[in-house]
Amino acid sequence: MCLAIPAEVTKLLPDEMAIVSIDGVSKEISVALIEDLAVGDYVIIHVGHALTKIDPEEARRTLELLRELSAEGEGVSP
């Protein structure tokens, strides 16, 4: 199973790289597939690559759903 998640671009780096924040965790990723990227944009990332831009509200809703799923999963016994 593959999972692509939203992240906010916090810093643009040389060589088509960027720093993104995923719920407060910073990660360096490739942004070679994205044109006209700016700090503050949200992107969908998968295995260290930004795949596309995403609407900020959609990104926030998706991250909130992931938080809810994680919280519910913490109470489940194996």
Side-chain angles (χ1 to χ4, degrees):
M1 179 171 85
C2 297
L3 179 64
I5 56 175
E8 182 180 6
V9 176
T10 58
K11 183 176 183 179
L12 296 174
L13 301 172
D15 301 322
E16 298 183 319
M17 300 296 286
I19 302 292
V20 296
S21 175
I22 308 163
D23 225 13
V25 176
S26 293
K27 179 168 180 63
E28 185 174 331
I29 64 163
S30 169
V31 292
L33 300 174
I34 310 293
E35 292 183 13
D36 302 320
L37 191 63
V39 170
D41 285 345
Y42 281 83
V43 293
I44 294 291
I45 63 168
H46 176 66
V47 293
H49 296 271
L51 303 177
T52 189
K53 288 185 192 180
I54 186 173
D55 175 74
E57 185 55 35
E58 182 67 25
R60 288 183 193 98
R61 284 195 307 259
T62 301
L63 289 170
E64 183 57 34
L65 285 172
L66 291 172
R67 280 186 215 104
E68 288 176 18
L69 288 171
S70 176
E72 287 179 17
E74 290 175 3
V76 177
S77 299

